[in-house]
Amino acid sequence: MSEFLKNQQIDFHIYILNQIDRYRFNRGALLNVGFLYGHPSCEYFALHDIDLLPNNPAIVYEYPSEAGPLHLTAPKYHPFYHFEDYFGGITLIRREHYMKVNGFSNRFWGWGLEDDEFRLRIKDAGLTVSIPNLDSGSKNSYLHLSPVGASQSDRDAKNWMDAARRKRDRLHGYRDVQLNNLPQLIYLTTSGYPFVQIDVKLKCNVSDTPWCMSDNYS
């Protein structure tokens, strides 16, 4: 990844968010933590699944337009997810736009849904999502490095969330992401390129979002 960005002559920092608490995975909250650490020095962000790597040099990690985010892994380019409203994978967004929408909701514990809420926040803010124009398709644009699908317990959490509430979360975001303690920053190097692993212990209000517990609703 570092070599790919270096070839595009892009100045970058790589932060890997590693959730080490006892709760279900919370992609939205982790991305909010990453934004808080990168916010002072980064003009824009690549919200990037760790198991996706670009496989086409025409995929450019460029500064997004004033109109709104750039969704690099649009449905016609993602190796597996081809439904029309898919908004996960890799999205480039300006710092001021992330702030405008208050980032991701912190309420989505388990597999999925956080990117759907984020897409609606983008729309509500009057921003427009663009996609790249590539000469490749879903089979050769990206490498996907992990199995597709969620664990049964995470699917059960998603089913509980679907049943418990389908209302929008217009209140919570990066400004109020809750942590049990300060994240630990681990400075590492691979193939001569530095990156930072941020070990995160999130905090969950179990009375508000009981599906955060991996031993509940599973």
Side-chain angles (χ1 to χ4, degrees), residues 24-41:
R24 282 191 169 92
F25 180 66
N26 190 325
R27 179 175 178 267
L30 291 176
L31 289 171
N32 285 338
V33 173
F35 176 79
L36 289 172
Y37 274 86
H39 164 256
S41 59

Side-chain angles (χ1 to χ4, degrees), residues 80-99:
F80 299 105
Y81 301 130
H82 305 143
F83 53 93
E84 182 179 358
D85 291 334
Y86 175 70
F87 195 48
I90 308 169
T91 300
L92 308 184
I93 186 170
R94 291 190 182 194
R95 175 173 57 196
E96 62 266 28
H97 289 165
Y98 198 92
M99 296 174 68

Side-chain angles (χ1 to χ4, degrees), residues 173-187:
Y174 83 89
R175 296 184 182 91
D176 64 353
V177 61
Q178 298 294 305
L179 303 174
N180 265 324
N181 49 36
L182 286 176
Q184 180 182 5
L185 275 61
I186 304 172
Y187 296 88

Side-chain angles (χ1 to χ4, degrees), residues 6-183:
K6 180 184 176 183
N7 289 339
Q8 296 185 7
Q9 299 182 337
I10 294 174
D11 292 329
F12 63 92
H13 302 281
I14 292 180
Y15 300 93
I16 296 179
L17 284 301
N18 182 35
Q19 185 177 338
I20 60 172
D21 52 60
R22 61 193 178 99
Y23 304 120
R24 282 191 169 92
F25 180 66
N26 190 325
R27 179 175 178 267
L30 291 176
L31 289 171
N32 285 338
V33 173
F35 176 79
L36 289 172
Y37 274 86
H39 164 256
S41 59
C42 298
E43 295 180 348
Y44 69 107
F45 294 79
L47 313 175
H48 210 297
D49 284 359
I50 197 170
D51 58 0
L52 279 174
L53 291 176
N55 194 40
N56 181 347
I59 298 170
V60 181
Y61 283 66
E62 60 189 336
Y63 187 59
S65 76
E66 186 177 353
L70 175 62
H71 189 203
L72 293 183
T73 48
K76 65 179 180 178
Y77 301 129
H78 194 281
F80 299 105
Y81 301 130
H82 305 143
F83 53 93
E84 182 179 358
D85 291 334
Y86 175 70
F87 195 48
I90 308 169
T91 300
L92 308 184
I93 186 170
R94 291 190 182 194
R95 175 173 57 196
E96 62 266 28
H97 289 165
Y98 198 92
M99 296 174 68
K100 184 175 183 178
V101 303
N102 195 20
F104 283 80
S105 168
N106 302 307
R107 292 175 54 83
F108 294 94
W109 303 87
W111 180 76
L113 296 179
E114 82 290 327
D115 50 345
D116 297 327
E117 167 70 25
F118 189 61
R119 177 178 54 83
L120 292 174
R121 291 183 176 202
I122 295 294
K123 181 179 179 181
D124 288 348
L127 301 173
T128 302
V129 177
S130 60
I131 66 172
N133 183 20
L134 303 177
D135 58 2
S136 54
S138 63
K139 294 183 178 180
N140 54 357
S141 294
Y142 295 91
L143 300 176
H144 197 276
L145 305 180
S146 65
V148 177
S151 68
Q152 184 59 48
S153 64
D154 275 354
R155 289 188 184 277
D156 288 338
K158 180 179 184 294
N159 292 338
W160 172 260
M161 287 191 289
D162 285 344
R165 57 100 198 95
R166 254 309 182 182
K167 62 182 180 180
R168 294 288 309 282
D169 176 14
R170 302 178 188 275
L171 299 177
H172 305 290
Y174 83 89
R175 296 184 182 91
D176 64 353
V177 61
Q178 298 294 305
L179 303 174
N180 265 324
N181 49 36
L182 286 176

